[in-house]
Coordinates of all heavy atoms in Angstrom, one line a residue:
M1 N -1.7 4.1 35.5 CA -0.3 4.1 35.1 C -0.1 4.1 33.6 O -0.8 3.4 32.9 CB 0.4 2.9 35.7 CG 1.8 2.8 35.4 SD 2.7 1.5 36.4 CE 2.7 0.2 35.3
A2 N 0.7 4.9 33.1 CA 1.0 5.0 31.7 C 2.0 3.9 31.2 O 2.9 3.5 32.0 CB 1.6 6.3 31.3
V3 N 1.7 3.4 30.0 CA 2.6 2.4 29.5 C 3.2 3.0 28.2 O 2.6 3.4 27.3 CB 1.8 1.1 29.1 CG1 2.7 0.1 28.4 CG2 1.1 0.5 30.3
R4 N 4.5 3.0 28.2 CA 5.3 3.5 27.0 C 5.4 2.4 26.0 O 5.8 1.3 26.3 CB 6.6 4.0 27.5 CG 7.4 4.7 26.4 CD 8.6 5.3 26.9 NE 8.3 6.7 27.2 CZ 9.2 7.5 27.7 NH1 10.4 7.1 28.1 NH2 8.9 8.8 28.0
I5 N 5.0 2.7 24.8 CA 5.1 1.7 23.7 C 6.2 2.2 22.7 O 6.2 3.4 22.3 CB 3.8 1.6 22.9 CG1 2.7 1.1 23.9 CG2 3.9 0.7 21.7 CD1 1.3 1.2 23.3
D6 N 7.1 1.3 22.3 CA 8.1 1.6 21.3 C 7.4 1.3 19.9 O 7.4 0.1 19.5 CB 9.3 0.7 21.5 CG 10.4 1.0 20.6 OD1 10.2 1.6 19.5 OD2 11.6 0.6 20.9
G7 N 7.0 2.3 19.3 CA 6.2 2.2 18.0 C 7.1 1.5 16.9 O 6.6 0.7 16.2
K8 N 8.3 1.9 16.8 CA 9.2 1.3 15.8 C 9.4 -0.2 16.0 O 9.4 -1.0 15.1 CB 10.5 2.0 15.7 CG 10.4 3.4 15.1 CD 11.8 4.1 15.0 CE 11.7 5.4 14.3 NZ 13.0 6.0 14.1
A9 N 9.6 -0.6 17.2 CA 9.8 -2.0 17.6 C 8.6 -2.8 17.3 O 8.6 -3.9 16.8 CB 10.3 -2.1 19.0
L10 N 7.4 -2.2 17.7 CA 6.2 -2.9 17.5 C 5.9 -3.0 16.0 O 5.5 -4.1 15.5 CB 5.0 -2.1 18.1 CG 3.6 -2.7 18.0 CD1 3.6 -4.1 18.6 CD2 2.6 -1.8 18.7
A11 N 6.1 -2.0 15.2 CA 5.9 -2.0 13.7 C 6.8 -3.1 13.1 O 6.4 -3.8 12.2 CB 6.2 -0.7 13.1
A12 N 8.1 -3.2 13.5 CA 9.0 -4.2 13.0 C 8.5 -5.6 13.3 O 8.6 -6.5 12.5 CB 10.4 -3.9 13.6
K13 N 8.0 -5.8 14.5 CA 7.5 -7.1 14.9 C 6.3 -7.5 14.1 O 6.2 -8.6 13.6 CB 7.1 -7.1 16.4 CG 6.5 -8.4 16.9 CD 6.2 -8.3 18.4 CE 5.6 -9.6 18.8 NZ 5.2 -9.6 20.2
V14 N 5.3 -6.5 13.9 CA 4.2 -6.8 13.1 C 4.6 -7.1 11.6 O 4.1 -8.0 11.0 CB 3.2 -5.6 13.1 CG1 2.0 -5.8 12.1 CG2 2.6 -5.5 14.6
K15 N 5.5 -6.3 11.1 CA 5.9 -6.5 9.7 C 6.6 -7.9 9.5 O 6.4 -8.6 8.5 CB 6.9 -5.4 9.2 CG 6.2 -4.1 9.0 CD 7.2 -3.0 8.6 CE 6.5 -1.7 8.5 NZ 7.5 -0.6 8.2
S16 N 7.3 -8.3 10.5 CA 8.0 -9.6 10.5 C 6.9 -10.7 10.5 O 7.0 -11.7 9.8 CB 8.9 -9.7 11.7 OG 9.4 -11.0 11.8
Q17 N 5.9 -10.6 11.3 CA 4.8 -11.5 11.4 C 4.1 -11.6 10.1 O 3.7 -12.7 9.6 CB 3.9 -11.2 12.5 CG 4.5 -11.4 13.9 CD 3.6 -10.9 15.0 OE1 2.7 -10.0 14.8 NE2 3.8 -11.3 16.2
V18 N 3.8 -10.5 9.5 CA 3.1 -10.4 8.2 C 3.9 -11.1 7.1 O 3.4 -11.8 6.3 CB 2.7 -8.9 7.8 CG1 2.2 -8.8 6.4 CG2 1.7 -8.4 8.8
A19 N 5.2 -10.8 7.1 CA 6.1 -11.4 6.1 C 6.1 -12.9 6.2 O 6.1 -13.6 5.2 CB 7.5 -10.8 6.2
E20 N 6.1 -13.4 7.4 CA 6.1 -14.8 7.7 C 4.8 -15.4 7.2 O 4.9 -16.5 6.5 CB 6.3 -15.1 9.2 CG 6.4 -16.6 9.5 CD 6.6 -16.8 11.0 OE1 7.2 -16.0 11.7 OE2 6.1 -17.9 11.5
E21 N 3.7 -14.8 7.5 CA 2.4 -15.4 7.0 C 2.3 -15.2 5.5 O 1.8 -16.2 4.9 CB 1.3 -14.6 7.7 CG 1.2 -14.9 9.2 CD 0.9 -16.4 9.5 OE1 0.1 -17.0 8.9 OE2 1.6 -16.9 10.5
A22 N 2.7 -14.1 4.9 CA 2.6 -14.0 3.5 C 3.5 -15.0 2.8 O 3.1 -15.5 1.7 CB 3.1 -12.6 3.1
G23 N 4.6 -15.4 3.4 CA 5.5 -16.4 2.8 C 4.9 -17.8 2.7 O 5.3 -18.6 1.9
K24 N 3.9 -18.0 3.5 CA 3.2 -19.3 3.6 C 2.1 -19.5 2.5 O 1.6 -20.6 2.3 CB 2.6 -19.5 5.0 CG 3.6 -19.6 6.1 CD 2.9 -19.8 7.4 CE 3.8 -19.8 8.6 NZ 3.1 -19.8 9.9
L25 N 1.7 -18.4 1.9 CA 0.6 -18.4 1.0 C 1.0 -19.0 -0.3 O 2.2 -18.9 -0.7 CB 0.0 -17.0 0.8 CG -0.5 -16.3 2.0 CD1 -0.9 -14.9 1.7 CD2 -1.7 -17.1 2.5
S26 N 0.1 -19.6 -1.0 CA 0.4 -20.2 -2.3 C 0.7 -19.1 -3.4 O 1.4 -19.4 -4.4 CB -0.7 -21.2 -2.8 OG -1.9 -20.5 -2.9
R27 N 0.0 -18.0 -3.2 CA 0.2 -16.8 -4.1 C 0.7 -15.6 -3.3 O 0.2 -15.4 -2.2 CB -1.1 -16.5 -4.8 CG -1.4 -17.2 -6.1 CD -2.7 -16.8 -6.7 NE -2.9 -15.4 -6.8 CZ -4.1 -14.9 -7.2 NH1 -5.0 -15.7 -7.6 NH2 -4.3 -13.6 -7.2
K28 N 1.6 -14.9 -3.9 CA 2.1 -13.7 -3.2 C 1.0 -12.7 -3.2 O 0.4 -12.3 -4.2 CB 3.3 -13.1 -4.0 CG 4.1 -12.1 -3.2 CD 5.3 -11.7 -4.0 CE 6.2 -10.8 -3.1 NZ 7.4 -10.5 -3.8
P29 N 0.7 -12.2 -2.0 CA -0.4 -11.1 -1.9 C 0.1 -9.8 -2.5 O 1.3 -9.6 -2.7 CB -0.6 -11.0 -0.4 CG 0.6 -11.5 0.3 CD 1.2 -12.5 -0.7
G30 N -0.9 -9.0 -2.9 CA -0.5 -7.7 -3.5 C -1.4 -6.6 -3.0 O -2.5 -6.8 -2.5
L31 N -0.9 -5.4 -3.2 CA -1.6 -4.2 -2.8 C -1.5 -3.2 -4.0 O -0.4 -2.9 -4.4 CB -1.0 -3.5 -1.6 CG -1.6 -2.1 -1.2 CD1 -3.1 -2.3 -0.7 CD2 -0.8 -1.4 -0.2
A32 N -2.7 -2.8 -4.5 CA -2.7 -1.8 -5.6 C -3.0 -0.5 -5.0 O -3.9 -0.3 -4.2 CB -3.7 -2.2 -6.7
V33 N -2.2 0.5 -5.4 CA -2.4 1.9 -4.9 C -2.7 2.8 -6.1 O -1.9 2.8 -7.0 CB -1.2 2.4 -4.1 CG1 -1.4 3.8 -3.6 CG2 -0.9 1.5 -2.9
V34 N -3.8 3.5 -6.0 CA -4.1 4.5 -7.1 C -3.9 5.9 -6.5 O -4.5 6.2 -5.5 CB -5.6 4.3 -7.6 CG1 -5.9 5.3 -8.7 CG2 -5.8 2.8 -8.0
L35 N -3.1 6.6 -7.2 CA -2.8 8.0 -6.8 C -3.2 8.9 -7.9 O -2.6 8.8 -9.0 CB -1.3 8.2 -6.4 CG -0.9 9.5 -6.0 CD1 -1.6 10.0 -4.7 CD2 0.6 9.5 -5.7
V36 N -4.1 9.8 -7.7 CA -4.6 10.8 -8.7 C -4.0 12.1 -8.4 O -4.3 12.6 -7.3 CB -6.1 10.8 -8.8 CG1 -6.5 11.8 -9.9 CG2 -6.6 9.4 -9.1
G37 N -3.2 12.7 -9.3 CA -2.7 14.0 -9.0 C -1.3 14.0 -8.4 O -0.7 12.9 -8.3
E38 N -0.8 15.1 -8.0 CA 0.6 15.3 -7.5 C 0.7 15.8 -6.1 O 1.7 16.4 -5.7 CB 1.3 16.3 -8.5 CG 1.3 15.9 -9.9 CD 2.3 14.8 -10.2 OE1 3.3 14.7 -9.5 OE2 2.0 14.0 -11.2
D39 N -0.3 15.5 -5.3 CA -0.2 15.9 -3.9 C 1.0 15.4 -3.2 O 1.1 14.1 -3.1 CB -1.5 15.5 -3.1 CG -1.5 16.0 -1.7 OD1 -1.5 17.2 -1.5 OD2 -1.5 15.1 -0.8
P40 N 1.9 16.2 -2.7 CA 3.1 15.8 -2.0 C 2.9 14.9 -0.8 O 3.6 13.9 -0.7 CB 3.8 17.0 -1.6 CG 3.3 18.1 -2.5 CD 1.8 17.7 -2.8
A41 N 1.9 15.2 0.0 CA 1.6 14.3 1.2 C 1.2 13.0 0.8 O 1.6 12.0 1.4 CB 0.6 15.0 2.1
S42 N 0.3 12.9 -0.3 CA -0.1 11.6 -0.8 C 1.0 10.8 -1.4 O 1.1 9.6 -1.2 CB -1.2 11.8 -1.8 OG -2.4 12.4 -1.2
Q43 N 1.9 11.5 -2.0 CA 3.1 10.8 -2.6 C 4.0 10.2 -1.5 O 4.4 9.0 -1.6 CB 3.9 11.7 -3.5 CG 3.2 12.1 -4.7 CD 4.0 13.1 -5.6 OE1 5.0 13.6 -5.2 NE2 3.4 13.5 -6.7
V44 N 4.1 10.9 -0.4 CA 4.9 10.4 0.7 C 4.2 9.2 1.3 O 4.8 8.2 1.6 CB 5.1 11.5 1.8 CG1 5.7 10.9 3.1 CG2 6.0 12.6 1.2
Y45 N 2.9 9.3 1.5 CA 2.1 8.2 2.1 C 2.2 6.9 1.2 O 2.5 5.8 1.7 CB 0.6 8.6 2.2 CG -0.3 7.5 2.8 CD1 -0.3 7.3 4.1 CD2 -1.0 6.7 1.9 CE1 -1.1 6.3 4.6 CE2 -1.8 5.7 2.4 CZ -1.9 5.5 3.8 OH -2.7 4.5 4.3
V46 N 2.1 7.1 -0.1 CA 2.1 6.0 -1.0 C 3.5 5.3 -1.0 O 3.7 4.1 -1.0 CB 1.7 6.4 -2.5 CG1 2.1 5.3 -3.5 CG2 0.2 6.7 -2.5
A47 N 4.6 6.2 -1.0 CA 5.9 5.7 -0.9 C 6.1 4.8 0.3 O 6.8 3.8 0.3 CB 6.9 6.8 -1.0
G48 N 5.5 5.2 1.4 CA 5.6 4.5 2.7 C 4.9 3.1 2.6 O 5.4 2.1 3.1
K49 N 3.8 3.1 1.9 CA 3.1 1.8 1.7 C 3.9 0.9 0.8 O 3.9 -0.3 1.1 CB 1.7 2.1 1.1 CG 0.7 2.9 2.0 CD 0.5 2.3 3.3 CE 1.1 3.1 4.4 NZ 1.2 2.5 5.7
E50 N 4.5 1.5 -0.2 CA 5.4 0.6 -1.1 C 6.5 0.0 -0.3 O 6.9 -1.1 -0.5 CB 5.8 1.5 -2.3 CG 4.7 1.8 -3.2 CD 5.1 2.8 -4.3 OE1 6.0 3.6 -4.1 OE2 4.4 2.9 -5.3
R51 N 7.1 0.8 0.6 CA 8.2 0.3 1.4 C 7.7 -0.8 2.3 O 8.4 -1.8 2.5 CB 8.9 1.4 2.2 CG 10.0 2.2 1.5 CD 10.7 3.1 2.5 NE 9.9 4.0 3.3 CZ 9.4 5.1 2.9 NH1 9.7 5.6 1.8 NH2 8.6 5.8 3.7
D52 N 6.6 -0.5 3.0 CA 6.0 -1.5 3.9 C 5.7 -2.8 3.1 O 6.0 -3.9 3.7 CB 4.7 -1.0 4.5 CG 4.9 0.1 5.5 OD1 6.0 0.3 6.0 OD2 3.9 0.9 5.7
C53 N 5.2 -2.7 2.0 CA 4.9 -4.0 1.2 C 6.2 -4.7 0.9 O 6.3 -5.9 1.1 CB 4.3 -3.6 -0.2 SG 2.5 -3.2 0.0
A54 N 7.3 -4.0 0.5 CA 8.5 -4.7 0.2 C 9.1 -5.4 1.4 O 9.6 -6.5 1.4 CB 9.5 -3.6 -0.3
E55 N 8.9 -4.8 2.6 CA 9.4 -5.4 3.9 C 8.6 -6.6 4.3 O 9.1 -7.4 5.0 CB 9.4 -4.3 5.0 CG 10.4 -3.2 4.8 CD 10.3 -2.2 5.9 OE1 9.8 -2.5 7.0 OE2 10.6 -1.0 5.7
C56 N 7.3 -6.6 3.8 CA 6.4 -7.7 4.3 C 6.2 -8.8 3.2 O 5.4 -9.7 3.5 CB 5.1 -7.1 4.6 SG 5.1 -6.0 6.0
G57 N 6.9 -8.7 2.1 CA 6.8 -9.8 1.1 C 5.5 -9.6 0.3 O 4.9 -10.6 -0.1
I58 N 5.0 -8.4 0.2 CA 3.7 -8.2 -0.5 C 4.1 -7.4 -1.8 O 4.8 -6.5 -1.7 CB 2.7 -7.4 0.4 CG1 2.4 -8.2 1.6 CG2 1.5 -6.9 -0.4 CD1 1.5 -7.4 2.7
E59 N 3.5 -7.8 -2.9 CA 3.7 -7.2 -4.1 C 3.0 -5.8 -4.1 O 1.9 -5.7 -3.6 CB 3.1 -8.0 -5.3 CG 3.5 -7.6 -6.6 CD 4.5 -8.5 -7.2 OE1 4.6 -9.7 -6.8 OE2 5.2 -8.1 -8.1
S60 N 3.6 -4.8 -4.7 CA 3.0 -3.5 -4.7 C 2.8 -3.1 -6.2 O 3.7 -3.2 -7.0 CB 3.9 -2.5 -4.0 OG 3.4 -1.2 -4.1
F61 N 1.6 -2.6 -6.5 CA 1.2 -2.2 -7.8 C 0.8 -0.7 -7.7 O -0.3 -0.4 -7.2 CB 0.1 -3.0 -8.4 CG 0.4 -4.5 -8.4 CD1 -0.1 -5.3 -7.3 CD2 1.1 -5.1 -9.4 CE1 0.1 -6.6 -7.3 CE2 1.4 -6.4 -9.3 CZ 0.9 -7.2 -8.3
G62 N 1.6 0.2 -8.3 CA 1.3 1.6 -8.2 C 0.7 2.1 -9.5 O 1.2 1.8 -10.6
Y63 N -0.4 2.9 -9.4 CA -1.1 3.5 -10.5 C -1.1 5.0 -10.2 O -1.9 5.4 -9.3 CB -2.5 2.9 -10.7 CG -2.5 1.4 -11.0 CD1 -2.4 0.5 -10.0 CD2 -2.5 1.0 -12.4 CE1 -2.4 -0.9 -10.4 CE2 -2.4 -0.3 -12.7 CZ -2.4 -1.3 -11.7 OH -2.4 -2.6 -12.0
R64 N -0.3 5.7 -11.0 CA -0.3 7.2 -10.8 C -1.0 7.8 -12.0 O -0.5 7.7 -13.1 CB 1.2 7.6 -10.6 CG 1.7 7.3 -9.2 CD 3.2 7.4 -9.1 NE 3.7 7.3 -7.8 CZ 3.7 6.1 -7.1 NH1 3.3 5.0 -7.7 NH2 4.2 6.1 -5.9
L65 N -2.0 8.5 -11.7 CA -2.8 9.1 -12.8 C -2.8 10.7 -12.7 O -2.6 11.2 -11.6 CB -4.3 8.7 -12.6 CG -4.5 7.1 -12.6 CD1 -6.0 6.8 -12.3 CD2 -4.1 6.5 -13.9
P66 N -2.9 11.3 -13.8 CA -2.9 12.8 -13.8 C -4.1 13.4 -13.1 O -5.2 12.7 -13.1 CB -2.8 13.2 -15.3 CG -3.3 12.0 -16.0 CD -3.0 10.8 -15.2
A67 N -4.0 14.6 -12.6 CA -5.1 15.2 -11.9 C -6.3 15.4 -12.8 O -7.5 15.4 -12.3 CB -4.7 16.6 -11.4
E68 N -6.1 15.4 -14.1 CA -7.2 15.6 -15.1 C -8.0 14.3 -15.3 O -8.9 14.3 -16.1 CB -6.6 16.1 -16.4 CG -5.9 17.4 -16.3 CD -4.5 17.2 -15.8 OE1 -3.8 16.2 -16.1 OE2 -4.0 18.1 -15.2
T69 N -7.6 13.2 -14.7 CA -8.3 11.9 -14.9 C -9.8 12.1 -14.5 O -10.1 12.6 -13.5 CB -7.6 10.8 -14.0 OG1 -6.3 10.7 -14.3 CG2 -8.3 9.5 -14.1
S70 N -10.6 11.6 -15.4 CA -12.0 11.7 -15.2 C -12.5 10.6 -14.2 O -11.8 9.6 -14.0 CB -12.8 11.5 -16.5 OG -12.7 10.1 -16.9
Q71 N -13.6 10.9 -13.6 CA -14.2 9.9 -12.7 C -14.5 8.6 -13.4 O -14.2 7.5 -12.8 CB -15.5 10.4 -12.0 CG -16.1 9.5 -11.0 CD -17.3 10.1 -10.3 OE1 -17.6 11.3 -10.4 NE2 -18.0 9.2 -9.6
E72 N -14.9 8.6 -14.6 CA -15.2 7.4 -15.4 C -13.9 6.6 -15.6 O -13.9 5.4 -15.4 CB -15.8 7.8 -16.7 CG -16.2 6.6 -17.6 CD -16.8 7.1 -18.9 OE1 -17.7 7.9 -18.9 OE2 -16.3 6.6 -20.0
E73 N -12.8 7.3 -15.9 CA -11.5 6.6 -16.1 C -11.1 6.0 -14.8 O -10.6 4.8 -14.8 CB -10.4 7.6 -16.6 CG -10.7 8.1 -18.0 CD -9.7 9.2 -18.4 OE1 -9.6 10.1 -17.6 OE2 -9.1 9.1 -19.5
L74 N -11.2 6.7 -13.7 CA -10.8 6.2 -12.4 C -11.6 5.0 -12.0 O -11.1 4.0 -11.6 CB -10.9 7.3 -11.3 CG -10.6 6.9 -9.9 CD1 -9.1 6.4 -9.8 CD2 -10.8 8.1 -9.0
L75 N -12.9 5.1 -12.1 CA -13.8 3.9 -11.8 C -13.5 2.7 -12.7 O -13.6 1.6 -12.2 CB -15.2 4.3 -11.9 CG -15.7 5.4 -10.8 CD1 -17.1 5.8 -11.0 CD2 -15.5 4.8 -9.4
G76 N -13.1 3.0 -14.0 CA -12.8 1.9 -14.8 C -11.5 1.1 -14.4 O -11.5 -0.1 -14.4
L77 N -10.5 1.9 -13.9 CA -9.3 1.3 -13.4 C -9.7 0.5 -12.1 O -9.2 -0.7 -11.9 CB -8.3 2.3 -13.0 CG -7.0 1.8 -12.3 CD1 -6.3 0.8 -13.1 CD2 -6.1 3.0 -12.0
I78 N -10.5 1.0 -11.2 CA -10.8 0.3 -10.0 C -11.6 -1.0 -10.3 O -11.3 -2.0 -9.7 CB -11.7 1.3 -9.1 CG1 -10.8 2.4 -8.6 CG2 -12.3 0.5 -7.9 CD1 -11.5 3.5 -7.9
R79 N -12.5 -0.9 -11.3 CA -13.2 -2.1 -11.7 C -12.2 -3.2 -12.2 O -12.3 -4.4 -11.9 CB -14.2 -1.8 -12.8 CG -15.6 -1.3 -12.2 CD -16.7 -1.2 -13.3 NE -16.4 -0.2 -14.3 CZ -16.7 1.1 -14.2 NH1 -17.3 1.5 -13.1 NH2 -16.5 1.9 -15.2
R80 N -11.2 -2.8 -13.0 CA -10.3 -3.7 -13.5 C -9.4 -4.3 -12.4 O -9.1 -5.5 -12.4 CB -9.3 -3.1 -14.6 CG -10.0 -2.8 -15.9 CD -9.1 -2.4 -17.0 NE -8.2 -1.2 -16.7 CZ -8.6 0.0 -16.8 NH1 -9.8 0.3 -17.3 NH2 -7.8 1.0 -16.6
L81 N -9.1 -3.5 -11.4 CA -8.3 -4.0 -10.3 C -9.1 -5.0 -9.4 O -8.5 -5.9 -8.9 CB -7.7 -2.8 -9.5 CG -6.7 -1.9 -10.2 CD1 -6.4 -0.7 -9.3 CD2 -5.5 -2.7 -10.5
N82 N -10.3 -4.7 -9.3 CA -11.2 -5.6 -8.4 C -11.3 -6.9 -9.1 O -11.6 -7.9 -8.6 CB -12.5 -5.0 -8.2 CG -12.4 -3.9 -7.1 OD1 -11.5 -3.9 -6.2 ND2 -13.3 -3.0 -7.1

């Protein structure tokens, strides 16, 4: 038998639970997103993660780098973020 899942309702429930748990922490959690280049699909994905963070009480840190960014520069940023 198939079970129909309401994805939007489930996502809202999970986000609510995450927001509640995040609110209990002594420090606000954060998510850093590094986007290299101007790929439209990646920009949409990152914008969605930023919205999700805002809904869940998570700080969002966006780093948008030009496509010409060298691997050395990118790895340096990742090391600083870690």
